[in-house]
């Protein structure tokens, strides 16, 4: 197998950057949202849960299409940016980052929601009697007891973003150094009948996916073992 070209290394770096930023952003956004979904019982919970889970059933090309309309030069967001003398977000790295955050949202929220829902409320009540405030209880009680859910959210979100194609293809196209991630590069190579190059990148994604899942299950087993022993 031939060595990777500079363009392919660039696509790998861009993919890692996109997946890393998406995971970091979603951890910050998903934690309070998942906590609210797990603990709230009002009538808006089901509506919010349905909206969060929508990317699970919608084709990624649909999400990418509507984001293209919104973030493009004629869209509400893109048009506003253009009127301010700024560049619209379609066919840019920041555009596909927004698309990845939206499309990967349920993959971060669901594991966190399940982990938060499994926490015994009596532990939080006990912390409250010790005068621990809501934020203190969340960081000192909730997060340590949700290690497995946090790990799951991180791994699934990162891996899902690495393999994403539809949203990026619709919203970002294939611009080298800007939106041409590994999945797009594989598609480009295949369209050009460059099967050896497509195989190189596909083999890397296959190996990455297997190693990621193997490490995830191994680490998750070690995290869960002390909890089950209690």
């Amino acid at each position: 197998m031939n060595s990777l070209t500079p363009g392919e290394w660039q696509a790998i770096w861009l993919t890692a950057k996109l997946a890393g930023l998406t995971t970091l952003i979603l951890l910050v956004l998903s934690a309070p949202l998942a906590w609210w979904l797990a603990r709230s019982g009002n009538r808006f919970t089901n509506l919010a849960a349905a909206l969060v889970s929508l990317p699970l059933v919608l084709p990624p090309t649909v999400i990418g299409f509507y984001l293209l309309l919104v973030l493009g030069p004629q869209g509400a967001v893109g048009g506003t940016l253009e009127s301010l003398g700024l560049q619209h977000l379609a066919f840019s790295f920041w555009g596909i980052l927004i698309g990845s955050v939206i499309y990967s949202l349920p993959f971060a929220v669901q594991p966190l929601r399940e982990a938060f829902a499994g926490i015994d409320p009596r532990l939080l009540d006990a912390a409250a009697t010790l005068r621990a405030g809501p934020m203190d209880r969340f960081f000192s009680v909730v997060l340590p007891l949700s290690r497995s859910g946090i790990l799951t959210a991180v791994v699934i979100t990162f891996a899902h973003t690495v393999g994403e194609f539809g949203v990026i293809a619709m919203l970002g196209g294939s611009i080298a150094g800007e939106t041409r991630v590994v999945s797009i590069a594989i598609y480009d190579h295949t369209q050009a009948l460059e099967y050896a190059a497509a195989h190189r990148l596909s083999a890397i994604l296959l190996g990455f996916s297997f190693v990621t899942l193997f490490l995830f299950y191994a680490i998750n087993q070690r995290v869960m073992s002390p909890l089950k022993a209690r």
Side-chain angles (χ1 to χ4, degrees):
M1 185 181 296
N2 296 329
S3 60
L4 295 172
T5 66
E8 290 168 345
W9 279 114
Q10 187 180 57
I12 291 173
W13 160 245
L14 189 65
T15 302
K17 177 182 175 182
L18 177 66
L21 286 176
T22 298
T23 302
L24 180 62
I25 292 171
L26 280 178
L27 273 182
V28 174
L29 296 180
S30 297
L33 177 58
W35 177 253
W36 178 75
L37 289 174
R39 295 294 170 173
S40 177
N42 63 48
R43 58 184 179 180
F44 297 108
T45 304
N46 289 335
L47 175 61
L51 289 174
V52 168
S53 302
L54 203 56
L56 293 176
V57 296
L58 268 180
T61 49
V62 173
I63 298 175
F65 171 70
Y66 282 113
L67 285 174
L68 179 61
L69 293 182
V70 173
L71 301 179
Q74 305 301 321
V77 174
T80 301
L81 291 175
E82 293 259 302
S83 66
L84 295 174
L86 303 174
Q87 180 67 32
H88 63 80
L89 296 175
F91 306 107
S92 70
F93 175 79
W94 298 110
I96 63 173
L97 177 61
I98 292 172
S100 295
V101 167
I102 293 173
Y103 188 57
S104 294
L105 180 62
F107 295 90
V109 171
Q110 297 296 350
L112 292 176
R113 181 183 182 183
E114 292 178 8
F116 293 161
I119 295 176
D120 190 341
R122 292 175 296 183
L123 296 175
L124 298 176
D125 293 338
T129 61
L130 297 175
R131 296 184 179 179
M135 293 297 293
D136 189 16
R137 294 197 298 269
F138 185 77
F139 284 100
S140 62
V141 179
V142 174
L143 292 185
L145 293 176
S146 305
R147 293 192 299 272
S148 179
I150 295 172
L151 175 62
T152 301
V154 169
V155 172
I156 293 180
T157 300
F158 189 91
H160 179 260
T161 305
V162 167
E164 169 51 28
F165 174 79
V167 170
I168 296 175
M170 293 293 293
L171 182 59
S174 179
I175 303 174
E178 189 74 18
T179 64
R180 192 174 186 257
V181 295
V182 172
S183 59
I184 300 295
I186 293 172
Y187 178 79
D188 289 344
H189 285 317
T190 304
Q191 289 293 100
L193 303 181
E194 298 169 349
Y195 293 135
H199 172 55
R200 284 198 302 269
L201 292 178
S202 296
I204 290 174
L205 282 191
L206 178 62
F208 167 80
S209 300
F210 176 79
V211 171
T212 298
L213 290 175
F214 176 79
L215 292 176
F216 165 68
Y217 286 120
I219 296 173
N220 195 46
Q221 185 177 29
R222 294 189 62 180
V223 170
M224 291 300 294
S225 294
L227 296 177
K228 292 180 179 179
R230 293 177 182 177

